[in-house]
């Protein structure tokens, strides 16, 4: 799952996840060329709050991606 957004140089972010069924997924911040800027951590059953990242702010004014990577690839429901 990818969430693309515009960011400003020096900007710090916060992210709150609630009611997720994607437990054990890992959240990462990717830069404009999809390079890894930060591994934020995992999502637990009760949700999670990631506060003030990246520590020094975004490096440039550009487009960034929050990547939610589930431990197993999601399979479509059959039925």
């Amino acid at each position: 799952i990818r969430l693309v957004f515009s960011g400003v140089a020096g900007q710090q972010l916060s992210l709150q996840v609630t009611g997720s069924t994607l437990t054990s997924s890992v959240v990462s911040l990717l830069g404009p060329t999809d390079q890894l800027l930060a591994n934020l951590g995992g999502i637990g059953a009760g949700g999670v709050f990631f506060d003030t990242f990246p520590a020094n702010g975004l490096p440039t004014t550009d487009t960034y991606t929050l990547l939610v990577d589930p431990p197993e690839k999601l399979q479509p429901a059959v039925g």
Side-chain angles (χ1 to χ4, degrees), residues 33-75:
T33 59
D34 278 346
Q35 75 276 24
L36 179 66
L37 297 180
N39 277 323
L40 303 179
I43 299 174
V48 68
F49 181 69
F50 300 109
D51 191 19
T52 314
F53 66 89
N56 295 322
L58 297 174
T60 60
T61 298
D62 213 322
T63 301
Y64 293 86
T65 302
L66 284 170
L67 177 66
V68 179
D69 192 13
E72 298 177 14
K73 299 298 178 200
L74 298 175
Q75 299 295 322

Side-chain angles (χ1 to χ4, degrees), residues 7-21:
V8 177
Q11 179 181 9
Q12 291 181 311
L13 310 168
S14 296
L15 173 68
Q16 183 170 2
V17 178
T18 60
S20 174
T21 59

Side-chain angles (χ1 to χ4, degrees), residues 1 3 5 19 26 32 47 68-69:
I1 300 168
L3 174 65
F5 65 96
V26 176
V68 179
D69 192 13

Side-chain angles (χ1 to χ4, degrees), residues 19-32:
S20 174
T21 59
L22 297 174
T23 57
S24 301
S25 296
V26 176
V27 181
S28 302
L29 174 63
L30 306 179

